[in-house]
Amino acid sequence: AQTVTQSQPEMSVQEAETVTLSCTYDTSENNYYLFWYKQPPSRQMILVIRQEAYKQQNATENRFSVNFQKAAKSFSLKISDSQLGDTAMYFCAFRQGGSEKLVFGKGTKLTVNP
Amino acid sequence: DTGVSQNPRHKITKRGQNVTFRCDPISEHNRLYWYRQTLGQGPEFLTYFQNEAQLEKSRLLSDRFSAERPKGSFSTLEIQRTEQGDSAMYLCASSLPELGEKLFFGSGTQLSVL
């Protein structure tokens, strides 16, 4: 079974600085997708960024980028120029090709300090 | 577009009672998902519908759990003979294939079983 591990339960960063959240996963499959979701205190999960395993180029979305290391099964999220609104739980998630099931990690609580 | 709507927001019940939750997806989203999230954990997949067909179901969905999406629009999740271990946040999400992998989540229904 696929597993997703987020080794940092909590992190904090100063406003305008950069922070990196770690995620590792375990799978024997070659066709899969990786995601970072954000869950602010209002509770609605929001997709931050996604990465297809077959793409070597790291995905970027404005201030958010990933470092996808397929051989190491690592998928970290970098947030640049952190903003107070980035304060939230961040979940790394995995989806195997052919399945609609997302497997989530336990999450990292990020606090952006003014 | 008012987003994914879930009702009720909170439900308190006694052990052994049956409960039903409702999810209204974003209109025209043909994919609908149910997840369960306990404190300190990431969401766990329960089931997935494409239109009215239930195409994927987790082993977590025991005989006491049933989900329906009779007309391919709203969905209900019923838990029979509730147990204290059922206490969790139940999240619904919807998507459209044209939108890629992006799931739109509702705010969830918080279930407390006393």
Side-chain angles (χ1 to χ4, degrees):
Chain A
Q2 291 86 9
T3 57
V4 176
T5 302
Q6 294 180 250
S7 58
Q8 305 150 316
E10 291 192 42
M11 291 194 73
S12 63
V13 64
Q14 292 300 120
E15 198 175 3
E17 292 188 349
T18 296
V19 64
T20 298
L21 308 184
S22 301
C23 172
T24 58
Y25 58 94
D26 186 26
T27 182
S28 57
E29 302 294 327
N30 212 31
N31 176 25
Y32 55 88
Y33 304 82
L34 296 162
F35 308 85
W36 279 96
Y37 274 87
K38 170 184 176 181
Q39 190 174 38
S42 67
R43 298 186 297 176
Q44 276 183 308
M45 301 269 286
I46 304 164
L47 177 66
V48 174
I49 199 165
R50 63 183 283 254
Q51 174 83 41
E52 294 92 338
Y54 63 85
K55 288 187 178 178
Q56 292 187 339
Q57 187 174 6
N58 289 324
T60 61
E61 283 288 343
N62 302 314
R63 298 182 296 108
F64 298 88
S65 61
V66 298
N67 183 3
F68 174 45
Q69 301 290 326
K70 191 171 183 179
K73 296 181 182 174
S74 170
F75 183 62
S76 60
L77 175 69
K78 185 171 84 171
I79 306 174
S80 304
D81 186 25
S82 297
Q83 301 175 359
L84 296 178
D86 295 333
T87 293
M89 284 292 292
Y90 285 82
F91 293 97
C92 180
F94 169 99
R95 185 176 78 80
Q96 179 180 322
S99 169
E100 289 296 320
K101 171 184 172 181
L102 279 176
V103 177
F104 286 87
K106 289 188 176 183
T108 296
K109 182 179 180 181
L110 176 67
T111 302
V112 180
N113 299 309
Chain B
D1 180 357
T2 56
V4 177
S5 175
Q6 291 189 246
N7 287 289
R9 292 291 297 272
H10 303 274
K11 178 71 177 178
I12 300 173
T13 191
K14 292 183 179 179
R15 191 174 49 189
Q17 298 293 306
N18 299 343
V19 294
T20 300
F21 312 139
R22 177 177 170 125
C23 171
D24 287 90
I26 295 171
S27 59
E28 298 180 356
H29 280 197
N30 63 345
R31 295 178 175 180
L32 187 145
Y33 310 76
W34 284 99
Y35 283 81
R36 179 175 70 182
Q37 186 177 20
T38 53
L39 202 61
Q41 303 292 322
E44 291 176 291
F45 173 82
L46 292 178
T47 192
Y48 155 67
F49 290 86
Q50 183 164 307
N51 299 312
E52 66 276 8
Q54 188 174 22
L55 297 184
E56 233 177 311
K57 191 170 153 178
S58 166
R59 284 170 295 187
L60 291 173
L61 215 64
S62 72
D63 291 344
R64 296 185 300 106
F65 288 70
S66 62
E68 294 183 345
R69 194 182 183 201
K71 295 182 181 178
S73 56
F74 74 92
S75 174
T76 57
L77 177 67
E78 181 183 17
I79 309 174
Q80 297 183 328
R81 305 182 303 281
T82 52
E83 301 172 355
Q84 287 187 325
D86 297 331
S87 295
M89 176 73 76
Y90 289 83
L91 297 170
C92 177
S94 69
S95 75
L96 199 59
E98 290 83 348
L99 299 176
E101 303 298 324
K102 186 173 184 178
L103 298 189
F104 293 79
F105 281 84
S107 295
T109 294
Q110 180 68 53
L111 173 67
S112 297
V113 182
L114 305 178

